Amino acid sequence: QVQLVESGGGSVQAGGSLRLSCAASGRTLSGDAMGWFRQAPGKERKFVAGIGRLPVNTMYAESVEGRFIISRDKDKNMAFLQMNDLKPEDTAVYFCAAGKYTLLSKDYVYWGQGTQVTVSS
């Protein structure tokens, strides 16, 4: 059974930075893509960033392009999301996921429980 556990969320002022981590257990995810999604209150879960089996392959939602950086450490079975220049509209619960290299949530098989990110103005 694969488990994903996110950490690193918290509260920060606009313009600040946070680094989210996702630790996987149960089996290696080196053959899977990993992604980050977020869900704001009352809204649908949306794609934020994805990274393929080869770390050089990355993709981002337009809203975070240039501010967020996704990375992974296959040896540690972890993924990361470096979030810079945070804005109040980035406030959401952030979820880590593993599956296919797409921006569609239905293509990700494994999900973490989420970590809250709150950005104040």
Side-chain angles (χ1 to χ4, degrees), residues 6-21:
E6 303 95 336
S7 62
S11 297
V12 64
Q13 289 191 326
S17 299
L18 284 174
R19 187 185 192 223
L20 304 184
S21 297

Side-chain angles (χ1 to χ4, degrees), residues 22-30 34 73-79:
C22 174
S25 62
R27 69 166 176 83
T28 178
L29 294 179
S30 60
M34 299 193 75
D73 185 330
K74 288 188 174 182
D75 291 338
K76 295 182 178 179
N77 219 19
M78 295 185 71

Side-chain angles (χ1 to χ4, degrees), residues 2-3 9 11 15 19 33 51-52 57 74 85 90 93 106 109 120:
V2 173
Q3 289 189 326
S11 297
R19 187 185 192 223
I51 186 166
N57 295 325
K74 288 188 174 182
D85 189 23
D90 295 318
V93 177
K106 69 179 182 66
V109 178
S120 58

Side-chain angles (χ1 to χ4, degrees), residues 70-97:
I70 187 171
S71 61
R72 67 187 301 174
D73 185 330
K74 288 188 174 182
D75 291 338
K76 295 182 178 179
N77 219 19
M78 295 185 71
F80 307 93
L81 186 67
Q82 177 67 41
M83 305 186 295
N84 302 317
D85 189 23
L86 283 161
K87 303 176 180 182
E89 52 263 42
D90 295 318
T91 295
V93 177
Y94 283 71
F95 298 89
C96 173

